[in-house]
Amino acid sequence: MPTCRRKRVILTEPSPALLEALKNDPNREVFYLADTGEIFETYEAYAARMSFYRLKQFQCEVTGKSGLDYFQALESERQEARTMHSRFPDQLKAAVLKAVQWQVMGRIDHLVEAVYDRFKDRYYPDEKVYVEIQGEKYLARIIQVFPPKSATNLRRSPGPVASSSSTPLSDEPMAIHKVAEDLKIPVKESIAMDDPAKYIYKVQILEEERQPGFGKADKSKGKEASRGQWSGHLMDVDCSKMSRDRLAFSKSILRRFIRDCVDRDAAVASPWTVKPAIAARYGVNTVMPEEIRKGVETLKKGESDKRKKVWEEKEGPASKRQKRAQAAAENEKLLAAIAEQREREAREKAEQAQKAKEESERLAAEKKKKKPIRYPTEDLDVVLGDKEKKAGMKVKRPVPSKLAMPFGEDQETNSAFLMSWNFIVVYGQPLHISPFTMDDFEAALRHSMVDPPCQLLAEIHATLIYNLRTVSFNRHSAVMSLVDYKQEHGDNEVSGVTIEQLTAAMADVGNNWERAPLRHSEGRDGWEESLVGCLKDHANLENFPRLREVLTRLLFAPDSAPEPSGSTAPSPSTSPAPLRLTTPAHPKELYYRLSAKDRVDILAFMCNLAVSSKAIHAHMEACEEQLTALRKEKIEVNRTKKSYLEEIAALEGEINPDGKPQTNGKTPDEDVAMHDLSDLSDVPNSDTEDAAPKPRRSAAKEREAARAKAQSAKQAQADRRRLEEEVNKLERRLEGIEREFRKLLGSVRVKPLGRDRFFNRVWWFDGMGAASLIGSGGTVQYGAGRIFVQGPSEFDVEVLRRREEDVDKRRREEEGEEGMLAVGEWAVYNDVDEVREFVDWLNPKGVRELALKNAFTKWWNHIAPGMRRRAADLSANAKIPEARRSTRKHAGADVLREPYMQWTNRKAINGS
């Protein structure tokens, strides 16, 4: 029977209602499962059972194969059963089944052992066995069996005796091996009563073709002839000269045969019984004899009494419980003493367990310490030791400045400012705007003079407005959003202006913003009004929460406004104090009264909308294609460089065959000349005329060989110089590919340089998108010229909290209280020396800091010059306080000399 989760699958029996319907309604339709014979009342029950059978979770009980469905497992068992029944001797089947019938044994293995010991030396008529003759085994068939009483008069010989006469089989079969069929008789007694060694078997050797190994080449013809001489002979043998084929009779085959033919109930001490169909086939008695029945009942009663006794010892019958209740008072003191002793033993046991736990923890800690760590590993697992500290490894990170951020500690505005500047610079090509530095962008946002106007502000807003014309919008979405807010919360005032007043002022401003020409040649005149129109159609209180405050300040002026200050240099000025804005005015005059925070919020909103424009998407797709081409080019350049280096190595062997570099400064020709002189000086002096020509000819040949060698070396050196120049060109091209790759990758997705051990993100914004690291003539260019540090994300903070160690304590030690950044908080390094100290602080044994340090090493030749160039520009543009003009007349002239006012848009399209 197939098994499922090591349990045999029990077939579903028909329900009582179905059996009752068989009598009352025999024509009732049911669902029949032919493979198992099960009957179901409903299709749902039939389908559920069929689905269960189709699951690949059944196991063949015979072979142990798993991962089968029920029908596959059942077919496997049937196939194995057919194979087993065909191999097992038919003559033994009836005797074995009669022996196991009604046997009470707990395990089937014990039953198999008992049966095997009884029948391994007992043979039956017509059974095929192997007979040993002169050291060789021959297949034979048993013709007749002579029990011991019939063999007393026969002459026993130590070996097989051949017989030429044929003894016919007896018509009345003799009862043989009857004692073996009764397993109740011990083995020794059964042998004494019916010794299998005293049986004599008349066997007939089968034909040569049926012998094992027939057809295989023998070592000699004589041996083949000797085997053939026994074919068809009859002889008398005993069990010592006989054996069965192991494929026909062994413990494993016997176990499978018994398990396939017998069964037993689940009750205690239930006997093994042969299955009814098999018992009827082999003549096994299916009626339990009275004496066996009594014996089985006695065994069952004994097992039941044993279990009952164990239960009574635990619980006790009712009378014993009463006696125990009566004696409880007498044993109270004894129980108290026992309880006290148990408590004492429990305390001692707990103390021992605690000591054992501490000892195991100590051993585990020692083992963990001894276990070698493979670097790089998790950064927080790396701890500086005394050796690293003595070597000069920095313990504390240089503190980045929070106040040096463009908007100080206003983290939300800092994030929006960095995002807006990076977006406009990176996508300068589709936006048609030239790159500008972050310092210029900050100064432009703080520009507060109407005259002279700031061209950078005009170009930024105009190009974003042109871009947002291609993004779908809802007409008057801002007005509708404000009206909905009024209906829900009432018409309250903001800076003295109600929603009704604000919507009325918005009605006539910027209605034609998507068609208004903002020409570059005209200074983008009218961009402030188009900005209001763009906000009216794109913004609402959901996607731009500060919409009402911004529009109020763009459309309403205070009754008496102070004159705008002439100082426009970038400074950490705060937002102006809130005033009552009651006078409607034109946006062109009021935009420059907005605080830098309001301007940043407007640009951040417009940049977020511009991301979804078609021009930006097309540019990103083009960058992806160029990135793919650059990757392929990089592979080809590296392959070419590798081949050139291999050629240089081969030429190096020709130039210096001894592997020693030439350090004497002499050219190959000079070496040849010196070699020639030494050869001539070694010519021996002789007065004989016959000895002179030979050394001269030898010297000439050597000089010729030396010249050829020098020429070859000279050519090899020229080739090496040429190849080195090619390698240098390829290296410069690889550097250019890396710069172009950074520019294109920055247009697709902006990624930080890396993260430190505490998951702080390090940003370097230069050289991405439309910006470049190298200008015309190889000059250094920068965009931000700084290294920004951003605090860990919320997910990273959660990872830090899950660690067993106190991460906050370690952060205070290695970052300092003032250097610890909260989630998303920004800080900056403005000085090259601070960045160098930060890089020295990074520990390359950690995976994150190793990657970050490698990134700094890769781009250091651009990071450091860019920071120095920015510092130099700031120093050159710094004003001497005494030289500043306080009058408004000269303030405009001073402003025009500011770098952000000198910026021009070289990418502007003439028609726009």
Side-chain angles (χ1 to χ4, degrees):
M1 183 67 65
T3 59
C4 180
R5 297 187 181 93
R6 299 184 179 181
K7 293 182 180 179
R8 302 181 72 179
V9 179
I10 305 301
L11 299 180
T12 303
E13 297 291 338
S15 63
L18 199 59
L19 295 176
E20 186 67 23
L22 180 62
K23 302 176 183 178
N24 303 330
D25 187 11
N27 296 325
R28 179 178 177 180
E29 292 185 354
V30 294
F31 297 89
Y32 175 62
L33 209 164
D35 292 329
T36 61
E38 295 172 294
I39 301 174
F40 303 92
E41 294 183 69
T42 62
Y43 178 76
E44 287 76 12
Y46 168 83
R49 192 66 175 176
M50 180 61 76
S51 300
F52 170 69
Y53 285 149
R54 291 298 183 188
L55 295 176
K56 299 287 185 179
Q57 61 181 13
F58 294 91
Q59 183 177 13
C60 175
E61 194 176 17
V62 179
T63 63
K65 292 180 181 178
S66 60
L68 309 174
D69 62 28
Y70 179 83
F71 304 109
Q72 291 173 341
L74 187 64
E75 179 59 28
S76 176
E77 290 184 359
R78 289 173 178 171
Q79 181 62 32
E80 290 296 323
R82 287 192 291 268
T83 304
M84 181 268 299
H85 280 288
S86 65
R87 291 179 177 176
F88 196 81
D90 291 335
Q91 298 77 11
L92 273 178
K93 291 179 180 178
V96 170
L97 294 176
K98 290 176 182 177
V100 301
Q101 180 76 318
W102 316 121
Q103 295 300 317
V104 181
M105 290 189 183
R107 293 173 56 88
I108 194 172
D109 295 335
H110 299 161
L111 186 63
V112 171
E113 290 284 347
V115 173
Y116 183 80
D117 291 340
R118 294 297 179 94
F119 289 95
K120 65 180 180 179
D121 293 327
R122 299 181 185 273
Y123 302 91
Y124 290 82
D126 206 35
E127 188 178 354
K128 292 181 180 180
V129 296
Y130 286 109
V131 178
E132 185 178 354
I133 304 174
Q134 297 178 0
E136 296 287 336
K137 287 189 176 182
Y138 295 83
L139 185 63
R141 185 170 62 88
I142 299 176
I143 303 298
Q144 193 171 1
V145 181
F146 299 100
K149 63 180 181 179
S150 303
T152 53
N153 299 327
L154 294 177
R155 183 174 57 85
R156 303 294 300 276
S157 61
V161 179
S163 175
S164 59
S165 62
S166 167
T167 304
L169 294 174
S170 176
D171 295 337
E172 296 180 1
M174 302 177 63
I176 57 175
H177 306 306
K178 281 296 182 183
V179 178
E181 297 178 2
D182 191 357
L183 296 183
K184 294 181 180 179
I185 303 174
V187 178
K188 293 183 179 179
E189 292 184 14
S190 66
I191 293 175
M193 296 171 59
D194 186 21
D195 191 356
K198 295 181 180 180
Y199 277 76
I200 301 298
Y201 302 92
K202 183 180 290 296
V203 300
Q204 183 180 16
I205 307 300
L206 298 180
E207 298 297 330
E208 184 179 2
E209 291 81 359
R210 303 179 64 181
Q211 295 296 331
F214 176 76
K216 296 181 180 179
D218 290 328
K219 293 183 179 179
S220 63
K221 293 183 179 180
K223 188 172 182 180
E224 183 179 356
S226 63
R227 289 186 61 89
Q229 68 179 354
W230 299 102
S231 299
H233 279 60
L234 295 174
M235 57 182 63
D236 297 335
V237 295
D238 58 12
C239 64
S240 63
K241 302 295 181 181
M242 303 169 64
S243 62
R244 292 188 178 94
D245 188 356
R246 287 189 58 82
L247 294 178
F249 185 79
S250 64
K251 288 184 180 180
S252 61
I253 294 293
L254 182 61
R255 185 177 187 278
R256 289 164 58 184
F257 173 73
I258 293 175
R259 185 171 58 183
D260 189 61
C261 296
V262 302
D263 202 353
R264 68 172 176 180
D265 295 334
V268 178
S270 296
W272 293 97
T273 57
V274 181
K275 295 177 181 178
I278 299 176
R281 180 179 177 183
Y282 292 102
V284 180
N285 186 15
T286 57
V287 179
M288 186 182 295
E290 187 64 23
E291 57 180 5
I292 295 177
R293 185 182 61 78
K294 291 180 179 180
V296 170
E297 290 179 354
T298 303
L299 286 174
K300 287 186 177 181
K301 188 173 183 300
E303 289 292 333
S304 178
D305 292 343
K306 188 185 296 183
R307 297 189 179 189
K308 185 178 180 181
K309 185 177 180 181
V310 172
W311 180 82
E312 286 180 353
E313 288 178 355
K314 283 187 176 182
E315 302 293 334
S319 59
K320 289 185 179 180
R321 285 200 300 269
Q322 293 174 359
K323 292 178 182 179
R324 193 177 293 121
Q326 295 173 0
E330 300 175 1
N331 298 333
E332 185 176 355
K333 294 183 179 179
L334 179 61
L335 292 174
I338 293 173
E340 184 179 356
Q341 183 179 0
R342 287 179 178 175
E343 289 179 2
R344 186 169 59 254
E345 291 177 355
R347 285 196 300 270
E348 293 176 356
K349 189 175 181 180
E351 291 175 359
Q352 292 177 359
Q354 183 66 22
K355 291 180 180 179
K357 183 179 179 181
E358 292 176 356
E359 182 66 17
S360 63
E361 289 178 353
R362 185 183 64 81
L363 293 175
E366 291 180 357
K367 186 177 181 181
K368 187 176 181 180
K369 289 180 181 178
K370 294 178 181 178
K371 186 177 180 181
I373 301 176
R374 298 184 63 183
Y375 297 108
T377 184
E378 165 58 37
D379 296 74
L380 293 175
D381 293 339
V382 179
V383 181
L384 286 182
D386 296 335
K387 185 177 180 181
E388 288 86 354
K389 293 178 182 178
K390 291 179 181 179
M393 196 79 177
K394 293 185 178 296
V395 178
K396 189 174 180 180
R397 185 191 72 182
V399 179
S401 175
K402 300 177 185 178
L403 296 177
M405 289 295 296
F407 290 88
E409 296 187 1
D410 187 353
Q411 302 303 325
E412 183 178 355
T413 306
N414 281 328
S415 297
F417 171 81
L418 294 174
M419 184 274 293
S420 303
W421 175 82
N422 185 71
F423 177 84
I424 297 169
V425 171
V426 165
Y427 295 107
Q429 182 176 346
L431 294 176
H432 304 293
I433 188 168
S434 299
F436 47 87
T437 66
M438 187 179 290
D439 294 319
D440 292 345
F441 183 56
E442 180 184 356
L445 291 176
R446 299 186 188 279
H447 183 83
S448 58
M449 301 179 65
V450 179
D451 187 25
C454 179
Q455 184 184 3
L456 180 55
L457 281 179
E459 291 293 332
I460 290 174
H461 288 85
T463 189
L464 289 175
I465 290 170
Y466 271 115
N467 187 268
L468 292 181
R469 290 176 179 179
T470 63
V471 179
S472 60
F473 57 86
N474 295 323
R475 183 72 69 181
H476 303 299
S477 63
V479 176
M480 296 171 62
S481 177
L482 291 171
V483 171
D484 292 341
Y485 180 84
K486 175 184 174 182
Q487 293 175 355
E488 293 180 7
H489 302 89
D491 193 3
N492 57 336
E493 291 186 356
V494 172
S495 299
V497 178
T498 62
I499 293 179
E500 184 176 356
Q501 293 173 337
L502 179 60
T503 54
M506 292 167 56
D508 298 329
V509 181
N511 292 329
N512 197 32
W513 72 274
E514 70 274 17
R515 291 183 297 274
L518 305 176
R519 294 185 177 87
H520 171 68
S521 58
E522 298 176 359
R524 307 292 187 182
D525 185 41
W527 68 266
E528 297 90 348
E529 185 175 353
S530 295
L531 173 63
V532 175
C534 179
L535 293 178
K536 282 170 55 178
D537 290 346
H538 277 289
N540 54 59
L541 291 175
E542 184 176 354
N543 59 14
F544 192 10
R546 300 189 66 244
L547 173 65
R548 183 179 178 185
E549 292 83 349
V550 170
L551 287 177
T552 301
R553 292 169 187 166
L554 278 173
L555 297 174
F556 290 89
D559 291 337
S560 58
E563 292 184 359
S565 173
S567 176
T568 59
S571 62
S573 61
T574 58
S575 299
L579 300 172
R580 289 186 59 82
L581 310 175
T582 57
T583 305
H586 196 275
K588 184 174 183 179
E589 300 174 0
L590 297 179
Y591 178 84
Y592 293 99
R593 297 181 184 272
L594 291 178
S595 65
K597 176 179 173 59
D598 293 337
R599 302 181 190 183
V600 169
D601 289 343
I602 293 173
L603 288 176
F605 170 72
M606 298 177 74
C607 290
N608 284 328
L609 289 179
V611 171
S612 60
S613 65
K614 294 181 180 179
I616 300 298
H617 279 201
H619 179 71
M620 293 173 68
E621 292 175 359
C623 289
E624 288 282 6
E625 296 176 358
Q626 294 178 46
L627 283 172
T628 303
L630 279 179
R631 291 188 184 99
K632 295 179 180 179
E633 183 182 357
K634 184 177 180 181
I635 293 172
E636 291 297 329
V637 171
N638 280 323
R639 185 181 293 116
T640 307
K641 178 183 173 183
K642 182 179 178 181
S643 65
Y644 284 166
L645 291 175
E646 291 175 355
E647 292 181 18
I648 290 174
L651 291 174
E652 190 69 29
E654 295 181 11
I655 297 171
N656 297 320
D658 298 334
K660 297 180 180 179
Q662 298 176 0
T663 58
N664 54 4
K666 297 179 180 179
T667 62
D669 295 337
E670 293 174 346
D671 292 340
V672 172
M674 294 298 295
H675 180 67
D676 293 344
L677 292 176
S678 64
D679 290 341
L680 293 174
S681 64
D682 292 337
V683 177
N685 295 326
S686 176
D687 296 336
T688 60
E689 298 179 356
D690 297 336
K694 186 174 182 180
R696 290 196 189 97
R697 287 195 298 269
S698 176
K701 290 180 180 178
E702 290 180 0
R703 285 195 298 272
E704 186 67 25
R707 290 192 188 95
K709 184 177 179 181
Q711 186 66 25
S712 176
K714 187 175 181 180
Q715 182 63 34
Q717 285 182 344
D719 292 341
R720 183 180 66 178
R721 285 193 295 270
R722 178 181 57 81
L723 291 174
E724 288 175 349
E725 291 177 359
E726 294 293 333
V727 170
N728 291 334
K729 291 179 182 178
L730 293 177
E731 289 177 350
R732 289 193 295 271
R733 178 54 190 151
L734 286 174
E735 293 177 1
I737 289 175
E738 289 295 336
R739 291 194 299 271
E740 293 176 19
F741 197 89
R742 176 175 173 81
K743 293 175 64 175
L744 295 172
L745 189 62
S747 299
V748 178
R749 52 188 174 273
V750 181
K751 296 171 61 178
L753 275 180
R755 298 183 296 174
D756 67 4
R757 66 194 68 169
F758 300 115
F759 295 96
N760 295 309
R761 289 160 286 182
V762 181
W763 295 88
W764 179 52
F765 293 107
D766 294 353
M768 291 190 291
S772 179
L773 294 172
I774 298 177
S776 59
T779 58
V780 176
Q781 289 187 342
Y782 68 92
R786 285 165 277 185
I787 296 296
F788 293 90
V789 182
Q790 187 183 15
S793 64
E794 294 182 359
F795 176 79
D796 295 332
V797 171
E798 185 65 26
V799 172
L800 293 175
R801 288 174 182 167
R802 291 179 182 176
R803 290 188 61 86
E804 298 178 358
E805 63 176 320
D806 189 355
V807 179
D808 290 338
K809 180 181 178 182
R810 182 173 175 183
R811 290 190 69 181
R812 284 190 292 271
E813 293 175 355
E814 299 181 9
E815 292 183 323
E817 288 285 353
E818 65 281 5
M820 294 175 60
L821 299 178
V823 175
E825 191 173 8
W826 289 89
V828 65
Y829 289 116
N830 289 317
D831 189 64
V832 179
D833 295 334
E834 290 179 340
V835 178
R836 186 178 287 107
E837 291 179 11
F838 173 71
V839 175
D840 294 339
W841 174 77
L842 299 176
N843 195 330
K845 291 183 178 180
V847 288
R848 291 189 295 277
E849 294 194 355
L850 174 62
L852 179 56
K853 196 161 190 172
N854 290 338
F856 269 111
T857 303
K858 177 180 179 181
W859 297 105
W860 185 253
N861 291 334
H862 299 285
I863 294 175
M867 296 184 70
R868 294 192 188 98
R869 173 74 181 276
R870 174 178 179 266
D873 290 346
L874 291 179
S875 299
N877 297 325
K879 294 181 179 179
I880 303 174
E882 291 78 4
R884 290 184 180 177
R885 307 296 178 92
S886 60
T887 62
R888 187 174 181 182
K889 179 179 178 181
H890 296 89
D894 290 341
V895 169
L896 289 174
R897 287 195 292 270
E898 293 289 344
Y900 75 94
M901 294 294 291
Q902 298 176 6
W903 175 89
T904 56
N905 188 7
R906 296 182 177 86
K907 293 185 179 180
I909 301 176
N910 294 328
S912 62

